[in-house]
Amino acid sequence: MEAVSRTAQWTAAARALESEREDRLFDDPYARTVAADTGFELLERYAGAGTVPFLAIRTAYMDQAIVRTVAERGIRQVVFLAAGMDTRFHRLPWPDGVTVYELDRPALLEAKARMLAGEPAPAGRTRRAVAVDLTGQWTGALKEAGWRSEEPVLWVVEGLLFFLTEESVRTLLATLSDTSAAGSVLIGDLISRAALDNPLSRPFLSALAEDGNPWLFGTDEPERLLEDSGWSPREVKQPGEEGADFGRWPYPVPPRRVPGVPRSFLFTCDLRTTEEATS
C-alpha cells in the first residue's frame, strides 16, 4: 500500500488495544486482523502526544454520532471518505436497508478485502467499495456505485483532513455540501494550526513526515471553516470535554479563548439551509 494508506493500520492497532481492555469504549473484533504487524509497529513508532487515548475517543465519539444520526434522521446511505481499515460496516448496529460506501485508494481497498475475506457480511445491509483519489474527481465513481445525490447522506471524514492542503480541504468539504440533499450530515475531525507547531508533538510529526505521511493542515477556527464550506456545525468538541471524554483523556482542556494551544476537534454538522446561507 502507499505510504499514506499505512496509517490506516496504525489506527486499527489502536482500536484493537482499546477493544481488548476490560473497560473498553467499543468492541472492534476485526481491528487486530486489519492492523496486522505493520499497524502495531507504527503504533509504537507514533506513540506519544496522547495519540492512543485520542484514537480511542475519536472512535467512540464517531461510533455514537453515526449510530444516533442514522437512527434519528432515517438516513440510509453512509459514505466513509478515506475509509482505511474502518470496520464499522461489520460492527455497528445498522438498520435494515443501509448502504455503506467506502472510498479509498485501490491498493488499500484490495488489501482490506483480502484481510476480511473470511468474514461474512452482516444481513440487512450493503457495502460497496469505491476506488478513488479524493484529491481528484470522485463523485462520478460514487454515483456509478449506486449513491443517490437526491437523497440525504451521512458523510464520515475521519483522520483525513490534516493530511491534505488547505485548498484540498476546502474543496473537499465544499464538494460534499454541494452534492448533498437536504437533511445530510457530516461527521469528522480536525486539528488546530498550533498542533502542527507543538514542540511536544515534534517527534510524532517528524516520524509521520519521514514515512511519507506529513500533517499539512490545521485551523484554529473549525466552525468558520465548516460554515464557509456549506455546513452548519451542530457541535464541535475537544477530547476531554463533555461528550468527548469517555474517561480516557489524560490532559486538561484549555478554554478555546486561550490562543496557541494544540487542539483536536470532533464535529457533527448539518447541511446549511438556503436561509442560513443567505442570512
Side-chain angles (χ1 to χ4, degrees):
M1 291 188 289
E2 298 178 41
V4 72
S5 301
R6 294 169 68 237
T7 61
Q9 292 181 278
W10 157 50
T11 55
R15 292 197 306 272
L17 294 184
E18 178 65 30
S19 298
E20 292 161 6
R21 292 177 57 138
E22 291 187 3
D23 61 343
R24 56 184 172 268
L25 301 177
F26 53 83
D27 185 17
D28 186 347
Y30 314 97
R32 187 168 283 274
T33 297
V34 296
D37 291 342
T38 296
F40 288 95
E41 291 167 2
L42 290 176
L43 189 63
E44 182 175 350
R45 176 166 169 75
Y46 300 152
T51 55
V52 172
F54 169 72
L55 292 172
I57 289 171
R58 185 178 73 183
T59 301
Y61 173 86
M62 293 194 178
D63 280 2
Q64 294 184 12
I66 290 166
V67 170
R68 181 173 61 250
T69 297
V70 170
E72 293 178 353
R73 301 296 181 93
I75 292 174
R76 290 299 178 266
Q77 47 182 6
V78 181
V79 180
F80 289 90
L81 295 103
M85 293 298 174
D86 182 275
T87 62
R88 290 187 174 98
F89 169 75
H90 290 276
R91 65 181 183 82
L92 289 188
W94 301 103
D96 287 349
V98 166
T99 299
V100 173
Y101 298 89
E102 296 187 1
L103 278 59
D104 216 311
R105 300 289 181 86
L108 187 146
L109 293 174
E110 292 168 5
K112 183 177 179 179
R114 289 194 299 271
M115 291 174 172
L116 295 176
E119 300 294 341
R125 65 191 75 167
T126 301
R127 173 183 173 270
R128 294 177 181 163
V130 185
V132 296
D133 179 352
L134 290 169
T135 62
Q137 299 296 321
W138 54 269
T139 55
L142 182 57
K143 288 182 179 179
E144 289 178 5
W147 172 69
R148 299 171 300 281
S149 59
E150 68 276 10
E151 297 181 14
V153 57
L154 169 58
W155 305 103
V156 182
V157 187
E158 180 182 24
L160 170 64
L161 299 179
F162 30 79
F163 288 110
L164 305 179
T165 64
E166 180 173 355
E167 180 181 5
S168 294
V169 168
R170 291 184 179 276
T171 298
L172 177 61
L173 293 176
T175 297
L176 298 183
S177 63
D178 290 345
T179 56
S180 294
S184 295
V185 177
L186 170 66
I187 295 171
D189 65 315
L190 287 158
I191 59 171
S192 68
R193 180 66 200 176
L196 299 175
D197 305 317
N198 180 17
L200 296 177
S201 299
R202 194 160 295 149
F204 164 68
L205 295 174
S206 296
L208 282 171
E210 290 169 6
D211 292 347
N213 314 313
W215 280 7
L216 302 175
F217 175 71
T219 177
D220 296 317
E221 299 180 299
E223 291 89 352
R224 182 174 179 179
L225 169 71
L226 293 163
E227 289 168 357
D228 288 348
S229 303
W231 295 97
S232 179
R234 193 188 315 166
E235 63 179 23
V236 177
K237 294 183 177 292
Q238 299 179 81
E241 293 180 334
E242 183 177 358
D245 184 4
F246 307 105
R248 286 288 185 275
W249 192 243
Y251 308 112
V253 184
R256 288 281 296 277
R257 64 178 181 273
V258 178
V261 175
R263 307 176 193 273
S264 296
F265 304 108
L266 303 168
F267 61 80
T268 300
C269 300
D270 298 304
L271 184 67
R272 293 187 74 190
T273 64
T274 302
E275 293 76 12
E276 289 175 322
T278 56
S279 62

